[in-house]
């Protein structure tokens, strides 16, 4: 193994980092954040159980897997895992250095399955760190669902590597108990002609911080990063998206819809798209729509688009934050519908369609059940 | 037999320049099976009357009363007014993204009737009503008013009127923005409702055109936040010939 210094030099040059940021697997390369850094300005660091500072692992993550036929999975120790994961902030690098057992899922070459693969993680009381690697080999096609529940504190990172011409649907659900905390960095690597459609759903937990980062390892790749979040009763949900257009003729579509209700409820969406000089023919769009359901809730939404080449096919970004519309409620109520039902209809309507592309009936039903339960909780 | 009685109704709104009085003592009675046309120039307060009676939160009612068969309407929430038998067809119906027409209508009728309509009967009922108003059945899967043309929005309002069978309906400029074919279809829907359900209609309009298709039993002229004259169909004809000038002058010094 190379010395720490050499490794760091390599990492600093790595294209994994934004030009102004570092990527490293060594936590000491990142200062302990105090909350004033751009990266951490919204996150309530007092509520993350010291994940950012010195929280030790109290147990290992327990991964429960129900895999589609043909998809293999194994739990491996650090020595057994080869990973190129480079963390981009203090918590994800601590997570990277502290996990003991990783879950590795392999989707073999040319395997195409419509059956779902479920990974369920019950985050037990106390602190734990985990790592997941999903390898989709060439020409494969599969749907993976990663569900998080429980009441503990966790840092869990994930690598999703889509090889040539593979097609992966990847759904991440955070539906923790009220005091649960999770901080995750997910790195998507999309090879030539490959396609990842990802959806994140944040409904339960005290603090959920999610950092999805996508980059390409071949031309003509495509990635969709979709998200749905609903923070109620003082919950904090943060999404920091980064799409690195580092190859030619690739496509990205980032679409997040969020709601917030209740005193202290706070959602954050930061969407960074970088189109590097080499990435001609890029087609990208990012959008965040937020619905504030009352005066006590807050939504921050920051879209950023950096374009270093003049030859893009399409590049757009947008952010809209609105309040629950009195006129919509009035219209429904003037037809006899009581106020709670009218609110529910408008909120469900706002979120409808975001699961639209994920057509598997069981998946759709499970997602709708969780979302409707969260909407119902918001009335209380 | 139902009766909506509006007595000395005053309505204000908050504006950047402070409180503004829009309705200045309205007296009106709407009776089952009768059509009462309210005509007036832009800005006279006709729409405010409609929205205030339906209970829009934007309006304040410092004095006056509205009763439906003796029950105090102003004391009811918006949905309670609908359940009591009031209906408002809006001039600018609101778009509700992600909520289908079918889901919306079924939620409404479930609330109004106190139980969910049986699915098979409901689809038949909805499809027949849509056919009568000239709406394609595929409309039921579209989102409420989203991407509807002006004419489609108005037909959708009248569709609701026919399904909900209110005791009293206030139609706020339902005729505006319609071409003559759409105007005829919408008017037929209004006439059917009066005939079949004995609904009392308060027909708010700016133009006399709709009165060729919907024959009013009474016509009132509305200027500057109150009723200034009431008569029969002949009053509408006079307005068509001479406009509102005479009535506006009559109140100018008031």
């Amino acid at each position: 193994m190379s010395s720490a210094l050499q490794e760091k030099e390599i990492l600093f040059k790595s294209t994994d980092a934004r030009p102004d940021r570092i990527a490293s697997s060594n936590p000491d390369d990142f200062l302990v954040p105090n909350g004033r850094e751009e990266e951490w300005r919204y996150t309530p660091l007092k509520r993350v159980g010291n994940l950012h500072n010195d929280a030790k692992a109290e147990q290992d993550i327990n991964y429960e897997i129900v895999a589609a036929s043909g998809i293999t999975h194994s739990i491996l120790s650090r020595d057994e895992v080869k990973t190129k994961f480079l963390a981009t902030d203090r918590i994800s690098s601590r997570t990277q250095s502290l996990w003991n057992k990783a879950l590795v899922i392999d989707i073999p070459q040319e395997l195409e399955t419509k059956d779902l693969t479920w990974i369920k993680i019950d985050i037990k009381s106390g602190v734990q760190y985990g790592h997941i690697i999903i390898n989709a080999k060439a020409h494969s096609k599969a749907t993976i669902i990663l569900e998080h529940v429980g009441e503990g504190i966790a840092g869990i990172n994930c690598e999703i590597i889509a090889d040539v011409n593979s097609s992966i649907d990847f759904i991440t659900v955070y539906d923790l108990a009220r005091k649960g905390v999770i901080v995750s960095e997910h790195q998507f690597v999309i090879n030539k002609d490959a396609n990842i459609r990802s959806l994140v759903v944040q409904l339960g937990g005290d603090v959920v911080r999610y950092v999805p980062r996508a980059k390409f390892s071949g031309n003509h790749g495509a990635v969709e990063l979709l998200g749905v979040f609903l923070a109620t009763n003082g919950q904090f949900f943060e999404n920091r998206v980064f799409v690195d257009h580092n190859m030619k003729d690739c496509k990205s579509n980032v679409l997040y819809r969020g709601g917030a209700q209740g005193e202290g409820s706070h959602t954050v969406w930061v969407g960074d798209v970088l189109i590097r000089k080499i990435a001609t023919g890029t087609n990208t769009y990012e959008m965040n729509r937020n619905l504030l359901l009352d005066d006590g809730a807050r939504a921050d939404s920051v879209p950023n688009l950096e374009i270093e080449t003049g030859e893009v096919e399409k590049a757009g970004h947008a952010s809209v934050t609105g309040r629950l519309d009195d006129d919509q409620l009035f219209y429904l109520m003037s037809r006899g519908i009581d106020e709670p039902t009218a609110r529910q209809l408008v909120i469900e309507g706002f979120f409808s369609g975001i699961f639209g592309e994920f057509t598997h009936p069981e998946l759709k039903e499970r997602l709708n059940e969780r979302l409707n339960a969260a909407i119902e909780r918001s009335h209380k | 037999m139902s009766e909506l009685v509006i007595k000395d109704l005053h309505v204000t709104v908050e504006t950047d320049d402070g409180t503004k009085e829009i309705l200045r003592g309205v007296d009106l009675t709407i009776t089952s099976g009768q059509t009462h046309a309210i005509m007036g120039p832009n800005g006279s307060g006709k729409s405010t009357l409609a929205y205030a009676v339906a209970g829009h939160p934007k309006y304040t009612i410092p004095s006056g009363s509205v009763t439906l068969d003796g029950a105090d309407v102003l004391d009811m929430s918006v949905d309670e007014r609908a359940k009591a038998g009031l209906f408002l067809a809006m001039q600018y119906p609101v778009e509700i993204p992600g909520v289908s027409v079918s889901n919306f209508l079924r939620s409404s009728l479930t609330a109004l009737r106190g139980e969910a309509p049986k699915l098979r009967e409901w689809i038949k009922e909805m499809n027949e009503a849509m056919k009568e108003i000239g709406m394609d059945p595929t409309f039921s899967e579209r989102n409420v008013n989203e991407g509807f043309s002006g004419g489609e929005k108005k037909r959708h309002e009248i569709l609701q009127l026919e399904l909900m069978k209110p005791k009293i309906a206030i139609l706020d400029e339902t005729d505006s923005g319609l071409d003559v074919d759409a105007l005829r279809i919408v008017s037929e829907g209004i006439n059917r409702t009066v005939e079949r359900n004995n609904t009392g209609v308060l027909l708010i309009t700016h133009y006399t055109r709709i009165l060729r298709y919907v024959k009013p039993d009474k016509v009132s002229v509305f200027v500057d936040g109150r009723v200034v004259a009431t008569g029969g169909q002949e009053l509408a004809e006079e307005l068509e010939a001479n406009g509102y000038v005479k009535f506006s002058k009559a109140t100018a010094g008031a």
Side-chain angles (χ1 to χ4, degrees):
Chain A
M1 230 172 114
S2 53
S3 75
L5 185 68
Q6 280 171 323
E7 190 173 326
K8 204 165 137 188
E9 274 172 359
I10 294 162
L11 297 177
F12 269 99
K13 286 178 200 154
S14 158
T15 53
D16 277 57
R18 297 284 304 279
D20 56 340
R21 274 190 223 156
I22 56 168
S24 169
S25 53
N26 180 1
D28 294 336
D29 288 339
F30 302 92
L31 293 172
V32 177
N34 57 29
R36 286 191 293 276
E37 304 80 0
E38 164 54 34
E39 188 69 20
W40 296 102
R41 57 187 290 218
Y42 299 112
T43 317
L45 290 167
K46 285 189 181 132
R47 284 156 60 188
V48 300
N50 261 326
L51 289 177
H52 66 301
N53 189 5
D54 60 358
K56 300 276 186 300
E58 295 168 68
Q59 67 238 322
D60 288 334
I61 297 270
N62 182 30
Y63 308 97
E64 292 169 50
I65 304 117
V66 181
S69 171
I71 293 178
T72 61
H73 54 90
S74 43
I75 308 286
L76 301 177
S77 67
R78 295 195 77 86
D79 309 339
E80 298 169 299
V81 173
K82 282 182 205 144
T83 170
K84 290 178 189 160
F85 191 93
L86 296 176
T88 60
D89 67 42
R90 169 85 183 173
I91 294 184
S92 76
S93 68
R94 289 196 74 245
T95 300
Q96 172 65 4
S97 66
L98 288 166
W99 59 263
N100 288 317
K101 289 202 163 82
L103 168 65
V104 179
I105 293 202
D106 284 303
I107 307 162
Q109 185 158 338
E110 291 180 35
L111 178 86
E112 289 192 28
T113 177
K114 286 200 168 84
D115 294 337
L116 306 175
T117 294
W118 296 86
I119 308 165
K120 189 170 177 182
I121 298 177
D122 187 351
I123 299 166
K124 300 275 193 286
S125 248
V127 176
Q128 52 236 282
Y129 298 96
H131 193 83
I132 299 166
I133 299 173
I134 296 167
N135 274 314
K137 299 287 165 55
H139 314 291
S140 64
K141 189 173 165 64
T143 302
I144 314 284
I145 299 115
L146 173 57
E147 273 189 305
H148 304 78
V149 297
E151 56 174 26
I153 295 164
I156 302 174
N157 292 334
C158 187
E159 299 170 63
I160 304 95
I161 298 145
D163 207 342
V164 175
N165 199 40
S166 60
S167 177
I168 297 305
D169 284 355
F170 180 65
I171 296 99
T172 303
V173 177
Y174 297 105
D175 203 1
L176 277 62
R178 182 59 187 84
K179 61 180 181 177
V181 173
I182 182 153
V183 178
S184 286
E185 178 163 334
H186 284 190
Q187 295 188 351
F188 301 88
V189 183
I190 304 110
N191 209 335
K192 184 172 185 301
D193 296 323
N195 170 29
I196 294 181
R197 293 194 303 182
S198 95
L199 166 70
V200 61
V201 181
Q202 296 163 345
L203 301 169
D206 184 47
V207 174
V208 176
R209 179 177 151 114
Y210 176 64
V211 182
R213 302 170 62 84
K215 67 170 185 176
F216 299 89
S217 54
N219 299 333
H220 295 282
V223 63
E224 277 190 85
L225 301 172
L226 310 178
V228 176
F229 49 89
L230 177 59
T232 60
N233 306 310
Q235 290 174 316
F236 175 85
F237 296 157
E238 177 170 16
N239 293 278
R240 285 183 172 264
V241 183
F242 176 50
V243 180
D244 187 348
H245 275 278
N246 55 336
M247 290 282 168
K248 292 184 204 303
D249 302 316
C250 291
K251 195 174 171 183
S252 65
N253 185 33
V254 178
L255 182 62
Y256 275 69
R257 264 187 261 185
Q261 171 167 30
E263 198 60 40
S265 299
H266 186 183
T267 65
V268 176
W269 178 85
V270 179
D272 288 344
V273 175
L274 171 64
I275 305 174
R276 294 183 192 265
K277 195 158 188 188
I278 187 179
T280 55
T282 292
N283 180 331
T284 178
Y285 186 70
E286 60 165 348
M287 167 79 158
N288 171 225
R289 296 180 78 96
N290 292 312
L291 182 64
L292 289 175
L293 299 167
D294 60 24
D295 291 339
R298 173 176 163 183
D300 285 286
S301 181
V302 188
N304 295 310
L305 179 58
E306 281 176 62
I307 307 179
E308 295 175 351
T309 171
E311 294 172 61
V312 294
E313 188 186 309
K314 199 178 110 189
H317 63 158
S319 161
V320 183
T321 297
R323 293 193 172 276
L324 194 67
D325 188 335
D326 277 347
D327 285 328
Q328 290 179 340
L329 289 181
F330 174 72
Y331 189 75
L332 293 172
M333 289 175 70
S334 77
R335 271 51 176 157
I337 299 167
D338 61 39
E339 190 174 348
T341 310
R343 288 177 76 92
Q344 176 130 1
L345 276 172
V346 173
I347 299 168
E348 283 174 7
F350 174 78
F351 284 116
S352 77
I354 192 112
F355 302 147
E357 292 190 34
F358 299 92
T359 48
H360 191 289
E362 187 193 345
L363 173 61
K364 214 167 176 172
E365 196 187 317
R366 289 273 285 270
L367 291 174
N368 276 321
E369 263 172 30
R370 286 202 183 272
L371 178 62
N372 290 339
I375 292 172
E376 239 162 71
R377 285 201 295 272
S378 77
H379 299 317
K380 283 167 193 158
Chain B
M1 183 76 175
S2 283
E3 213 175 43
L4 180 76
V5 180
I6 301 169
K7 272 192 190 156
D8 194 30
L9 188 69
H10 290 252
V11 173
T12 62
V13 288
E14 294 308 315
T15 69
D16 292 341
D17 305 324
T19 304
K20 191 180 168 199
E21 186 173 47
I22 299 182
L23 297 191
R24 309 193 303 155
V26 176
D27 292 292
L28 271 175
T29 298
I30 320 298
T31 315
S32 289
Q34 302 267 306
T35 300
H36 190 148
I38 297 276
M39 306 194 61
N42 286 329
S44 58
K46 305 187 299 293
S47 286
T48 299
L49 174 65
Y51 280 81
V53 171
H56 195 286
K58 185 175 144 191
Y59 300 102
T60 308
I61 299 175
S63 65
S65 71
V66 179
T67 56
L68 178 62
D69 299 333
D72 185 357
V73 169
L74 300 181
D75 204 32
M76 301 176 193
S77 62
V78 176
D79 57 308
E80 285 168 350
R81 295 179 200 207
K83 284 173 192 139
L86 269 181
F87 178 84
L88 168 63
M90 296 188 197
Q91 186 180 356
Y92 302 109
V94 183
E95 295 181 6
I96 308 183
V99 178
S100 71
V101 166
S102 144
N103 185 12
F104 161 63
L105 292 176
R106 196 149 193 269
S107 301
S108 164
L109 291 183
T110 301
L112 292 174
R113 294 175 187 174
E115 59 175 354
K118 291 206 175 57
L119 197 58
R120 189 175 295 177
E121 292 163 25
W122 157 240
I123 289 170
K124 193 167 163 239
E125 184 185 359
M126 183 173 67
N127 284 347
E128 276 173 13
M130 289 180 92
K131 196 174 167 190
E132 281 192 315
I133 201 76
M135 284 174 90
D136 191 273
T138 55
F139 261 88
S140 63
E141 296 313 314
R142 289 176 62 180
N143 291 334
V144 173
N145 294 319
E146 204 177 44
F148 285 25
S149 70
E152 286 165 349
K153 283 183 181 170
K154 297 301 174 71
R155 284 182 205 209
H156 181 224
E157 294 294 286
I158 300 305
L159 173 73
Q160 294 168 51
L161 170 68
E162 293 201 72
L163 287 169
M164 292 173 196
K165 304 180 174 51
K167 291 175 182 162
I168 303 290
I170 303 172
L171 311 182
D172 185 18
E173 302 209 15
T174 296
D175 54 332
S176 66
L178 295 183
D179 62 29
V180 70
D181 288 336
L183 179 65
R184 187 176 44 76
I185 289 166
V186 160
S187 299
E188 282 167 7
I190 297 168
N191 290 334
R192 272 197 302 273
T193 294
V194 174
E195 203 173 291
R196 286 181 190 168
N197 308 325
N198 203 30
T199 299
V201 172
L202 181 66
L203 183 74
I204 295 175
T205 180
H206 185 67
Y207 308 103
T208 51
R209 198 173 56 138
I210 192 173
L211 303 183
R212 286 178 220 145
Y213 303 94
V214 179
K215 296 293 172 201
D217 299 287
K218 271 192 213 166
V219 175
S220 289
V221 183
F222 203 80
V223 177
D224 207 15
R226 64 172 74 131
V227 175
V228 294
T230 297
Q233 177 91 25
E234 76 290 345
L235 189 53
E237 283 153 18
E238 192 193 329
L239 286 172
E240 178 151 38
N242 303 322
Y244 295 105
V245 182
K246 174 180 146 193
F247 299 100
S248 301
K249 275 183 187 156
T251 60

